[in-house]
Amino acid sequence: VEGQYTANDWSKYASFTPTQAVAPDAPLLLAEVQRRDIRAEAWDAAQKVKAMLAEYRISVPGGVDLELSHHYGIERFHEFGLTLLTIVNRGYCKKLLVCLPGQRHPEQFHRQKEETFHILHGEVELTLNGQTQLCRAGEVVHIEPEVRHEFFSHGGAIIEEISSTHFANDSFYTDPAIHQNANRKTLLTYWMV
């Protein structure tokens, strides 16, 4: 019908919130639904990550999964967030974690995954079970399963994570508000061009 959202309006970047009840099988009308498109925010974040990787000459193969983790919504990504590039996820896992300047990754733990962080660039204030330590480029830190961990970087950091297999349901944030945010990840594909 005229004034209705169509399939062309839907994308992984768009969310729709009805402003009033919608009857079953009724059209979603532009006037009755708020549409939020995060394409510009996701593009901006991905470009900043790509520029940081290029500046510090970190090579990334094309076609890998890029995850923008925006724990409290994309509008707070530069405050609370992290970009993860999954290079390998088999019996072992290798990721690059990009923490933009001023970004914090909130406290979480894993029940199965054991991680090793190798700081490739920058400095990270890493907190393990409530104890904070400053980690600089070249340092290596091991994180056992069940260890609560969070980190923050004033100037930005790139971390190589080498771990056991990553399972999608094995990240447990200590702030329940994060688990209530069903749209806390934007998944893209990283290309070198």
Side-chain angles (χ1 to χ4, degrees), residues 11-161:
S11 80
K12 67 180 177 182
Y13 301 105
S15 62
F16 298 83
T17 307
T19 56
Q20 53 192 324
V22 178
D25 299 323
L28 290 177
L29 300 175
L30 279 67
E32 298 174 354
V33 176
Q34 292 178 343
R35 180 177 188 262
R36 172 113 167 42
D37 191 315
I38 64 164
R39 184 182 314 265
E41 290 100 328
W43 177 254
D44 178 62
Q47 291 306 305
K48 287 179 179 172
V49 166
K50 190 172 183 179
M52 192 170 167
L53 291 166
E55 180 180 355
Y56 298 106
R57 297 187 176 135
I58 307 291
S59 296
V60 179
V64 301
D65 293 336
L66 183 148
E67 174 187 319
L68 298 175
S69 190
H70 37 87
H71 308 90
Y72 298 104
I74 193 121
E75 59 278 352
R76 295 185 70 191
F77 175 73
H78 293 289
E79 181 184 0
F80 293 97
L82 185 68
T83 302
L84 302 91
L85 295 113
T86 302
I87 311 299
V88 176
N89 190 27
R90 298 173 58 95
Y92 59 94
C93 181
K94 176 180 174 170
K95 295 183 181 185
L96 291 174
L97 312 180
V98 180
C99 190
L100 295 172
Q103 236 178 5
R104 177 176 304 280
H105 184 272
E107 185 179 74
Q108 68 169 347
F109 65 92
H110 309 287
R111 292 207 167 102
Q112 299 176 54
K113 185 166 81 164
E114 177 182 344
E115 302 170 294
T116 298
F117 284 0
H118 175 205
I119 313 301
L120 299 179
H121 164 75
E123 294 181 343
V124 174
E125 293 175 12
L126 177 63
T127 303
L128 303 174
N129 286 335
Q131 300 293 313
T132 302
Q133 59 188 5
L134 182 63
C135 300
R136 296 180 173 92
E139 293 186 40
V140 174
V141 179
H142 304 287
I143 304 171
E144 299 289 330
E146 302 286 341
V147 171
R148 292 176 291 114
H149 54 285
E150 67 178 298
F151 49 91
F152 171 78
S153 180
H154 289 283
I158 301 170
I159 303 166
E160 177 182 46
E161 175 194 305

